[in-house]
Amino acid sequence: MTQISYVALSYWDLALAATLILINGGLSIAFRLGIERTLFIAAARMAIQLMAIGFVLKFIFAQTSPWWTAALALVMILVAGYESRARQETPFKGWIAYGLGTATLLFVGTIATIFGVGVLIGPDPWYAPRYIIPVLGMMLGNTLTGISLGLDSLTTAARRERPAIEARIALGATRFVALSQIIRRALRTGMMPIVNAMAASGIVALPGMMTGQILSGVDPVEATKYQLMIMFLIAGGTALGVFLAVLGGARYLSDERHRLRLDRLDLGQGD
Amino acid sequence: MTGGSGLLKLEEVKVYGLEPVSFQVSAGECLAVQGPSGAGKTVLLRAIADLDPVEGRIALDDTDRLAVSGPAWRARVRYAAAEPGWWDETPRPHFRDPDSIAEIVRALGLGEGILGQPLARISTGERQRLALARALEDSPDVLLLDEPTGALDAKATARAEKLLKTQLKTGRIILLVSHDPEQIARMANRKMTIRGGKVRVART
């Protein structure tokens, strides 16, 4: 067991750090960027949201109850599912816009978190929220980015390349043959951020979790091992999530008669 | 392939913006479809090819559209759009068996090397003829042609019409959207006029 030692921050330290935001505000005013108001609101929102989640986590960690852990995990998944629709330029119409992202995140988040925490880390008890919640959070954040990019690529390409897709369908192709090119492109787009993140980590930037562990006194090699495990989990989870969401999206973008169904897209957004 | 014994039958087909449509076309017959732009000619052809969901019965011979899979229906009932879509860099990958359409490509006045040329360097008229050749591959029973000669000059149009007449002789059914009354007179046995949501079928 690694000895944990860290220097606690006081609220005065935080207030001092917050004054740095004034630099941004000053720049905005000096160069008339007009973002000072948005900037201060964003900074205030961040402070309130993070402090609130800090207290929520403190409460839930103190309970160590599987039910409280599950409840918080569910809220995180639902919010991520909602966000997956908001990040798409051309989302699907109706409940599927939320349902597809949420179902994928629920499936991938559950599997990856149980594998990562239950099998690999193996805390006692296995549902200990201080392991489950951060791992799930990192999984959801990255998988959400992947599936949003993947689905956005799929639906945008389907609109743009409709004549080519329908030409194949008209010649007797099945829907997955007709959509194969845009499916492949969507899968690549969805997986690219995690591939890039893996390639860049350690050289361009130290990943956030590893930095956090080092700051709290964990041996850097131990912190690296944790970070590697998380990156592998995220990579696998993102790939699975992107695959499920894009194939599910392609299925919903066409019907059982193998027709392209652009009428199932909400074209009211982004145009 | 039925090649001669076909009968395309529509019963109370409800296409968006049109009154319910019922008509039939026999093997070897060419039905011209005319009407102003936006009247619903394309949506009708798309409905027959089962590219959009519509109510009503569409059958070829005794085979109901819904009794076979979408791809199986479209292998027999083929729609060629006014602006053909392409999904690869050259024409060749757009054909299942490029050798099988060599004769058709020649009949349309296209050079043999055209299949390997980049589509970006092929003219609109040539692309339209390639799209027609693509629609004829595997000998579908019904051809739903949406302005197939819209971008062609007189000589190329004559070649395309000659090829289509040969297709009619072998028993194909053709629905031909055209804005050219002379072409309709040359090609069609009957004509359908779509205007203001109303559909009328008459002899030429």
Side-chain angles (χ1 to χ4, degrees):
Chain A
M1 189 71 193
T2 313
Q3 185 64 40
I4 303 290
S5 66
Y6 69 97
V7 184
L9 289 178
S10 72
Y11 285 105
W12 283 114
D13 298 328
L14 281 183
L16 201 57
T19 58
L20 294 175
I21 291 290
L22 294 175
I23 297 176
N24 304 41
L27 275 174
S28 174
I29 292 166
F31 290 95
R32 282 182 285 173
L33 305 179
I35 57 165
E36 60 273 8
R37 195 180 136 81
T38 322
L39 178 82
F40 288 126
I41 290 174
R45 262 191 71 172
M46 175 187 74
I48 293 167
Q49 285 168 193
L50 285 180
M51 287 307 293
I53 195 67
F55 284 114
V56 168
L57 289 178
K58 190 170 183 174
F59 168 77
I60 286 176
F61 288 6
Q63 309 305 311
T64 318
S65 141
W67 301 112
W68 275 109
T69 309
L72 181 61
L74 192 64
V75 170
M76 290 164 70
I77 289 167
L78 289 177
V79 172
Y82 180 82
E83 185 67 17
S84 76
R85 180 191 192 276
R87 287 191 191 184
Q88 288 169 59
E89 196 183 326
T90 318
F92 287 110
K93 277 181 192 165
W95 66 271
I96 192 92
Y98 305 101
L100 186 60
T102 309
T104 308
L105 290 166
L106 180 65
F107 181 73
V108 173
T110 307
I111 294 214
T113 306
I114 287 176
F115 178 66
V117 178
V119 179
L120 300 179
I121 304 177
D124 184 29
W126 66 269
Y127 52 80
R130 59 177 277 245
Y131 291 94
I132 296 264
I133 298 300
V135 169
L136 178 67
M138 283 185 279
M139 281 301 307
L140 290 180
N142 287 279
T143 311
L144 169 64
T145 302
I147 66 173
S148 306
L149 285 173
L151 284 175
D152 196 47
S153 164
L154 181 81
T155 54
T156 307
R159 285 178 68 193
R160 197 180 51 229
E161 292 168 37
R162 176 184 178 173
I165 296 165
E166 289 205 320
R168 292 189 97 161
I169 291 174
L171 290 166
T174 62
R175 52 175 151 175
F176 284 108
V177 169
L179 293 169
S180 60
Q181 282 179 327
I182 69 166
I183 289 177
R184 267 200 298 274
R185 225 177 303 142
L187 291 176
R188 260 202 303 271
T189 305
M191 285 193 236
M192 211 36 88
I194 186 62
V195 173
N196 290 340
M198 284 197 290
S201 65
I203 299 174
V204 180
L206 286 183
M209 188 190 79
M210 184 172 149
T211 313
Q213 282 195 309
I214 292 172
L215 282 176
S216 58
V218 173
D219 177 79
V221 174
E222 289 304 313
T224 307
K225 280 156 69 180
Y226 255 82
Q227 185 65 52
L228 279 174
M229 183 207 68
I230 288 293
M231 289 300 266
F232 291 141
L233 270 186
I234 289 173
T238 303
L240 182 63
V242 170
F243 181 78
L244 290 174
V246 168
L247 285 193
R251 199 178 155 78
Y252 190 68
L253 205 51
S254 54
D255 63 18
E256 70 288 351
R257 302 286 306 160
H258 299 261
R259 296 178 286 223
L260 183 65
R261 298 296 299 271
L262 294 184
D263 57 311
R264 291 176 176 173
L265 292 176
D266 186 352
L267 303 180
Q269 282 202 355
D271 279 315
Chain B
M1 302 315 137
T2 51
S5 63
L7 179 71
L8 177 71
K9 204 170 177 182
L10 276 77
E11 287 173 12
E12 295 291 304
V13 174
K14 290 176 186 149
V15 177
Y16 178 77
L18 302 184
E19 61 182 13
V21 185
S22 300
F23 65 89
Q24 52 188 49
V25 194
S26 310
E29 213 181 354
C30 176
L31 175 69
V33 183
Q34 59 177 20
S37 295
K41 303 182 294 293
T42 298
V43 285
L44 176 64
L45 258 54
R46 286 177 57 90
I48 298 170
D50 199 16
L51 287 170
D52 296 314
V54 285
E55 283 177 44
R57 183 165 185 267
I58 305 175
L60 179 61
D61 304 325
D62 292 325
T63 309
D64 192 279
R65 166 182 63 115
L66 300 176
V68 293
S69 73
W73 176 259
R74 289 185 280 269
R76 293 183 67 192
V77 180
R78 180 122 344 135
Y79 170 71
E83 288 177 24
W86 307 93
W87 58 88
D88 217 309
E89 300 296 317
T90 65
R92 190 176 296 279
H94 296 84
F95 294 91
R96 192 185 53 74
D97 177 11
D99 294 334
S100 70
I101 51 109
E103 203 177 314
I104 292 171
V105 169
R106 266 197 304 278
L108 286 167
L110 297 166
E112 282 184 16
I114 199 162
L115 295 186
Q117 286 176 18
L119 275 158
R121 276 200 263 139
I122 296 176
S123 76
T124 310
E126 286 171 324
R127 282 206 296 268
Q128 192 161 38
R129 279 180 278 170
L130 284 165
L132 184 58
R134 185 173 69 177
L136 289 169
E137 190 177 21
D138 297 329
S139 310
D141 296 317
V142 179
L143 290 165
L144 307 164
L145 306 176
D146 201 345
E147 299 185 54
T149 60
L152 304 188
D153 59 30
K155 196 173 165 190
T157 299
R159 283 176 179 273
E161 287 179 4
K162 190 178 170 195
L163 177 67
L164 292 177
K165 280 181 179 162
T166 318
Q167 296 293 316
L168 288 168
K169 277 186 195 137
T170 60
R172 304 261 122 73
I173 292 168
I174 296 179
L175 268 70
L176 176 72
V177 170
S178 177
H179 288 291
D180 178 1
E182 289 176 20
Q183 181 174 55
I184 291 174
R186 287 192 299 269
M187 292 295 299
N189 309 91
R190 286 187 295 155
K191 64 181 177 185
M192 167 187 284
T193 306
I194 305 178
R195 193 183 297 272
K198 305 226 178 300
V199 180
R200 297 283 170 268
V201 182
R203 256 179 207 288
T204 52

